[in-house]
Amino acid sequence: MKPVIFLLLIVALGGCKPKAVVPETIAPLVGKWRLEAYESTVNGKKEWTLTSINASTANYILIREDGVLLTGNGQELCCAPAALTVNGKRFEIVPKSAIPNNPMCALVDCIGCATWDIEWSEDTFILNLCVSSNRSRYVRED
């Protein structure tokens, strides 16, 4: 009787899948984000210029649990970085599953930067590319 119970226990435990652990640095960013505004300089002052609210032309970024950045339709984001700096903490992007191919990336000549800086706060983040003055503000969609 004991061998049968032991066998059932092994089968039951073998069916358990460990839950994916999302690193705390990237966890708050996992989900869908919509580009809300660009920062620009007008008459010597920095101002946010809102983008179109039209859902069909909106620009989205999806962030997976492993930090991989995807387009709004779930395909590879062309010229994506190898790492993110989120509120000063570096996060290396290491894909844990396949990245859906984006045929448009074959037409793009990437001169992007290896690390993107993100300032995250609640349901908004500000993206600063290549330590430049070009910043974009994204808001959570889901």
Side-chain angles (χ1 to χ4, degrees):
M1 186 63 162
K2 286 185 182 182
V4 173
I5 293 174
F6 183 69
L7 180 62
L8 289 175
L9 182 61
I10 289 175
V11 171
L13 291 177
C16 296
K17 293 182 182 177
K19 190 174 181 180
V21 176
V22 181
E24 67 180 55
T25 303
I26 199 73
L29 296 173
V30 172
K32 187 174 185 177
W33 298 84
R34 177 179 50 83
L35 176 63
E36 180 183 57
Y38 291 103
E39 187 178 58
S40 56
T41 304
V42 178
N43 297 325
K45 290 186 173 186
K46 293 190 182 257
E47 296 180 358
W48 288 102
T49 304
L50 296 177
T51 61
S52 170
I53 300 177
N54 182 346
S56 65
T57 60
N59 188 350
Y60 294 96
I61 289 180
L62 301 175
I63 302 178
R64 291 192 330 197
E65 291 85 2
D66 55 4
V68 170
L69 303 166
L70 302 171
T71 62
N73 62 2
Q75 294 179 325
E76 169 188 13
L77 183 66
C78 303
C79 307
L84 300 171
T85 301
V86 181
N87 292 347
K89 292 182 181 177
R90 185 171 174 83
F91 178 81
E92 296 291 330
I93 299 172
V94 179
K96 302 285 188 229
S97 61
I99 300 173
N101 184 46
N102 183 346
M104 295 303 295
C105 292
L107 307 173
V108 177
D109 186 14
C110 294
I111 308 176
C113 46
T115 303
W116 288 5
D117 292 316
I118 293 177
E119 298 169 32
W120 169 80
S121 175
E122 296 183 22
D123 288 336
T124 303
F125 75 75
I126 296 173
L127 176 62
N128 190 2
L129 299 175
C130 304
V131 192
S132 68
S133 59
N134 299 328
R135 297 179 353 139
S136 306
R137 185 172 64 210
Y138 286 81
V139 292
R140 184 176 296 281
E141 278 290 305
D142 57 358

